[in-house]
Amino acid sequence: HAQPLDGDAPEDVMTDGRVSFYAKGQVKGEWLLTIGYDSDRRDDLTFRRQIDPNRFYTLYGDGTEQAFENDTSRQFYLKLERDVAALLVGDFDTQMSRGELTRYSRRLNGIKADYYNGDWKASAFGANTDQGFVLDTIAGDGTSGIYRLSRGGLVRNGERVRIVVRDRFALDQVLSTVNLTRFVDYSIDYNAGTLIFKRPVESQDTQFNPQFIEVEYELDGRQNEIVAGGRIAYAPGQGENEIGLSYIEDATPGVGGRLYGVDAEWEVSRHNRVEIEAAVSDSKATGEGEAYRAELMHESERVAGKLFYREQDASFGLGQQSALTTGLRRFGVEGELRVRNELTLRAEAQRQQDLGVGGGERDIYGLEAQYRLNSTNLLLGARKVSEEAATGRKLDSEQILAGITQPLFSGRMQLRGNAEVGLGGGDDSADFPTRVIGGVDYRLPKGITLFAEQEFTWGSDRDTQD
């Protein structure tokens, strides 16, 4: 439109317009094309659109799902796909999660390509982005929040939130993971970097294992740099067998780097399976690092067990691994033998080593028998722990293990008790003091169970109650 000005000055011509379109359909009968463009769209720190169910679409009891055909935080979107290949220009998830050490989970805007051909598959991505990746691990404190992330100014809808329970005696072992959904399970303030959950996040689970909140998120405001990577894999047949190579190049200033590795999962025989993984990284923040992981697992009708080895330098990775698992080496063997239907034997032997400054190591040996007498379960065993702290102090524990589980009232109530009693005062190890645990479960109608659990420990350094 044109607007005349006062006097003899020339017209001041201002233009305003918008181009926007969306289309989806087949190309040459082989490819499915989805394309969209909106000239008014600007980068708005939003990874994907998300509808707040508390404000819109209050539908209940049906199978409603929300989905968007052209997810992009920029003006242009393109997706071209067929049965063996796909090309995407827009918002995407890197989806490199097959390997534990080579995982690279990012949400970016750029180009992503996938290819499948029989036993072979490949994936590659590239983005020119000003985003940075952060993984925060926060211990639950028994409340619903507020929980504060280490940074604020998050890219909207780019976070992943999960509750992770780890073994209290081996933090690199994940016992359970629950992925959470925004609006349903938590609310988040992207500017302040704070979380509030719909339910309290306990510090421990019912077995006193620590519970953590893990949050992956993207930050905005860095200078634009290239982030690229890919994976090629050979996966014969319809099973889970797969051998893959992965590579990541992250040019983010100060925190990026390079990572490459190999991983394999293979069913050696009907009862035996092997997993092997090795990776090397060169991070701008921590320098060069290496990590290795190997497991040989056996499972048959009477015997189950595994040989394992895991090592991860403190300097390894591009920020995708939890800080709780770095700088450790752990290897050993564990297994169980079912002698009869009512008798099972379990044994373990392992070594844990701290790869950090000062070191420290721990050897654990254990043997236990579990016997079922009618409806009563009995346990008897022994454990030896030899530990050398980073200070050079020797810490040992020799323990007798005993336990009983007894159902009452036709199974409606269950009583249980366990004891780990140190012999000869050998209870110096902080994680293996003399320990007594008592508990009760009571089953109510309609699938409700009440439970109570109490633990006491007596050690050379401190006594505890949980």
Side-chain angles (χ1 to χ4, degrees), residues 364-429:
I364 303 174
Y365 308 94
L367 177 65
E368 65 181 48
Q370 183 172 329
Y371 185 78
R372 187 174 71 252
L373 179 63
N374 298 324
S375 60
T376 303
N377 285 323
L378 302 172
L379 181 144
L380 184 64
R383 178 191 293 135
K384 177 176 175 57
V385 181
S386 299
E387 183 174 346
E388 181 176 347
T391 60
R393 180 187 176 191
K394 301 287 187 179
L395 306 170
D396 296 313
S397 294
E398 296 179 354
Q399 298 177 316
I400 293 295
L401 315 178
I404 183 172
T405 302
Q406 178 64 56
L408 300 172
F409 307 122
S410 301
R412 184 175 296 276
M413 176 182 286
Q414 180 173 269
L415 301 177
R416 58 184 181 281
N418 289 85
E420 303 172 3
V421 181
L423 302 177
D427 56 357
D428 291 327
S429 178

Side-chain angles (χ1 to χ4, degrees), residues 198-217:
K198 297 299 179 68
R199 295 186 297 177
V201 181
E202 303 296 338
S203 60
Q204 300 170 314
D205 70 353
T206 58
Q207 303 300 314
F208 302 110
N209 294 298
Q211 193 161 247
F212 299 95
I213 305 164
E214 289 190 357
V215 186
E216 298 177 356
Y217 55 96

Side-chain angles (χ1 to χ4, degrees), residues 244-258:
L245 297 172
S246 302
Y247 178 79
I248 300 294
E249 182 77 36
D250 187 341
T252 306
V255 296
R258 182 181 296 110

Side-chain angles (χ1 to χ4, degrees), residues 139-354:
D141 62 10
T143 72
S144 57
I146 299 174
Y147 292 95
R148 300 187 181 278
L149 302 175
S150 62
R151 305 289 294 274
L154 282 65
V155 174
R156 296 178 181 275
N157 305 331
E159 82 281 357
R160 282 194 181 89
V161 182
R162 54 184 175 264
I163 304 298
V164 178
V165 178
R166 295 182 177 271
D167 191 304
R168 63 193 299 188
F169 304 123
L171 289 177
D172 62 315
Q173 287 192 335
V174 175
L175 302 180
S176 67
T177 300
V178 178
N179 295 310
L180 304 184
T181 303
R182 185 187 173 202
F183 301 124
V184 177
D185 301 307
Y186 68 91
S187 59
I188 184 170
D189 186 324
Y190 291 107
N191 293 325
T194 58
L195 288 164
I196 298 178
F197 293 87
K198 297 299 179 68
R199 295 186 297 177
V201 181
E202 303 296 338
S203 60
Q204 300 170 314
D205 70 353
T206 58
Q207 303 300 314
F208 302 110
N209 294 298
Q211 193 161 247
F212 299 95
I213 305 164
E214 289 190 357
V215 186
E216 298 177 356
Y217 55 96
E218 300 281 338
L219 290 176
D220 191 85
R222 302 175 182 273
Q223 67 186 59
N224 277 46
E225 296 290 349
I226 297 296
V227 176
R231 172 182 168 83
I232 183 171
Y234 174 67
Q238 301 298 321
E240 293 295 319
N241 295 345
E242 184 169 312
I243 299 175
L245 297 172
S246 302
Y247 178 79
I248 300 294
E249 182 77 36
D250 187 341
T252 306
V255 296
R258 182 181 296 110
L259 182 144
Y260 47 93
V262 58
D263 62 271
E265 296 184 26
W266 210 263
E267 187 173 325
V268 181
S269 63
R270 178 184 175 187
H271 301 296
N272 298 292
R273 183 170 185 82
V274 63
E275 296 183 5
I276 300 175
E277 192 172 359
V280 178
S281 68
D282 185 2
S283 170
K284 297 176 183 178
T286 59
E288 297 182 358
E290 300 177 355
Y292 307 93
R293 184 179 69 89
E295 289 188 13
L296 174 60
M297 293 157 283
H298 174 87
E299 185 173 358
S300 57
E301 184 177 353
R302 298 174 62 87
V303 180
K306 67 177 180 179
L307 288 165
F308 60 91
Y309 181 93
R310 181 188 179 96
E311 177 180 339
Q312 184 173 322
D313 293 342
S315 57
F316 172 78
L318 301 179
Q320 295 278 329
Q321 282 75 32
S322 171
L324 299 173
T325 66
T326 60
L328 297 173
R329 177 188 294 126
R330 193 167 67 89
F331 57 91
V333 58
E334 60 185 40
E336 67 177 43
L337 169 65
R338 190 170 70 180
V339 181
R340 300 199 302 262
N341 289 337
E342 64 273 13
L343 177 61
T344 301
L345 301 178
R346 295 186 178 91
E348 70 167 334
Q350 62 171 285
R351 167 166 286 195
Q352 303 172 8
Q353 295 175 309
D354 186 349

